[in-house]
Amino acid sequence: MKQKPNYRLYLVTDAEICPRENLLDVCEKAIDGGVSIIQLREKDISSREFYNEAAALKTLCTAKNVPLIINDRLDIALAVDADGIHIGQSDMPLAAARRILGSGKIIGVSAGNVREALDAEHGSADYLGVGAVFPTGTKKDAKNIGIDMLKQVTAAASIPIVGIGGINHENINLLRGSGIDGVAVVSCIMGSKDPYSAAETLREKTELL
Amino acid sequence: MKQKPNYRLYLVTDAEICPRENLLDVCEKAIDGGVSIIQLREKDISSREFYNEAAALKTLCTAKNVPLIINDRLDIALAVDADGIHIGQSDMPLAAARRILGSGKIIGVSAGNVREALDAEHGSADYLGVGAVFPTGTKKDAKNIGIDMLKQVTAAASIPIVGIGGINHENINLLRGSGIDGVAVVSCIMGSKDPYSAAETLREKTELL
C-alpha cells in the first residue's frame, strides 16, 4: 500500500546545476531543511550510473522517510524499489506504466493544460506536476503556462497538484490561492550554496499557499 | 515459460544506419531472409517514441514468430511484453534485471572477456554477446577483442554465445570453428539496399559455423 506523500516542497534534482558527487549531500541538507519529496531526474547517463545513484538516494530517502520518485525511467524505479515515477507527455504512456507498476506505486504526470491534467487524472495518475508556472532555464522545452492556466487546472482536477517551473523564494508568494498542494523547485535548492536554508525558507513560504 | 531462441542470425537495429521510418520494412525483409532474433537498440530517443517503435516491432516479431529483445531498457521491454533484454556492462546490473523480469524472460549480456562471460553466466544470463570480434564503426566504444579471445570465451562458457562486432559476408567465414551459436550483425543488414538477400546469404553462411 503506497503512502500518501506530502507534496508541499518537492525537490527535482539536476546534475547540470549540482554536480553528481554533491547530490547526496545537497539532498540530505534539503530534506533536513524541509523538502518533503524528491524526484531524481537524469539524462545523458548510463543505466548503470543512474541505477547506482538512485540506489544511494533511495537509502538516504528511506532513512529520512521521504518518498523518492524517479523521472521517466520505470526500470530504475523498479530496480531500486523507489516510491514511484514521474512521467512527461513524451515518456511512456501512463496506462503502460500503471500496468507494470500496479497500484502500490506513485505515478505523477506532467500537465500543461486542463486536457492533459484530466487525461492523467482519469488515467490513474496520483498527482500532477503543472507548469512551467514561470519562465525556467532548467528545462528548455518547457512552455511557460502562467498562473491563470495553473488555476484553471487546479479548479478542474481533483488529484494533488504541484506547481513547477521557475519557482523561487520571491515569486512563490504569487502562487497563494492558486489551489496547489505544493511547489516543485530545482535550481533554487540544487543551485544554492546553502540548501538547508534554501529549503527551510521555501518550506515556510509553502505554509502560506 | 520462455522459448529457447534460435541465435543463428541475430539482427541489432541502428537508427543511424537505417532511418526509423524504414525500420519495420527492413526488419520484415530481414526476417523473411533468415534473421532468427531481433534486438531493438535505441539511443537519444524519448521513452514515448521508443515505446511506440518497440510496440510496432513487437507486433511484427510476434506475427513472424521471431523473438524481440530490447537493448538496455527493461521498462520498454516490460511495456511491450518483449521476449527479453540485452544489457551491457554499463547498463543495469544483471541481478537487478533478473529480479524484475523473473525467469520467464531472456536476458543477454555483453561480454568482452572470460571473466565478464562467466560472471554473466553465473548471474543467470541466458546468452552472451561477445565482441567486438572485428573492428566496427557502429559502436564507437566497443573494444576489438579478436577471434582468439572469442574462442577463449566459447571454451569457458556454457550458455549460447553470439559473436558481434564488424561481422559481414566476407569475414563470417573466419568464425568457423569458433564455437559460437550465431552471429549478430548491424550494418550489413540494416545498411543494405536489399535486406532480404543480405540476411539470406548470411543465414546460409551461418550454417557452416
Side-chain angles (χ1 to χ4, degrees), chain A residues 102-175:
Chain A
S103 59
K105 297 287 187 187
I106 299 159
I107 303 182
V109 175
S110 296
N113 55 51
V114 171
R115 185 188 54 76
E116 287 175 357
L118 293 182
D119 281 353
E121 178 168 337
H122 299 151
S124 83
D126 293 291
Y127 76 91
L128 301 170
V130 177
V133 179
F134 302 113
T136 168
T138 54
K139 207 176 172 188
K140 277 81 182 171
D141 57 341
K143 188 181 157 216
N144 177 19
I145 63 164
I147 295 177
D148 282 347
M149 176 57 79
L150 178 65
K151 286 181 179 171
Q152 286 181 43
V153 174
T154 57
S158 308
I159 55 178
I161 288 176
V162 178
I164 186 166
I167 299 172
N168 59 37
H169 293 87
E170 281 76 47
N171 62 24
I172 188 174
N173 294 319
L174 299 172
L175 299 178

Side-chain angles (χ1 to χ4, degrees), chain A residues 44 46-49 51-52 72-76 78-80 88-94 96 99-100, chain B residues 44 46-49 51-52 72-76 78-80 88-94 96 99-100:
Chain A
D44 305 321
S46 75
S47 292
R48 178 69 60 96
E49 291 170 302
Y51 168 84
N52 288 337
D72 181 13
R73 290 290 297 271
L74 191 153
D75 51 350
I76 303 293
L78 285 173
V80 306
Q89 299 290 324
S90 63
D91 295 334
M92 190 183 292
L94 172 57
R99 197 167 58 237
I100 299 166
Chain B
D44 306 320
S46 75
S47 292
R48 178 70 61 97
E49 290 170 302
Y51 168 84
N52 288 338
D72 181 14
R73 291 290 297 271
L74 191 152
D75 50 349
I76 303 292
L78 285 172
V80 306
Q89 298 290 323
S90 64
D91 294 333
M92 190 183 291
L94 172 56
R99 199 166 57 237
I100 298 166

Side-chain angles (χ1 to χ4, degrees), chain A residues 181-198:
Chain A
D181 299 86
V183 295
V185 296
V186 187
S187 44
C188 78
I189 290 180
M190 296 304 290
S192 169
K193 285 182 181 165
D194 184 354
Y196 176 90
S197 300

Side-chain angles (χ1 to χ4, degrees), chain B residues 128-150:
Chain B
L128 301 170
V130 177
V133 178
F134 302 112
T136 167
T138 56
K139 206 175 172 189
K140 276 83 184 171
D141 58 340
K143 188 182 158 216
N144 178 18
I145 64 165
I147 294 177
D148 282 348
M149 176 57 79
L150 177 66

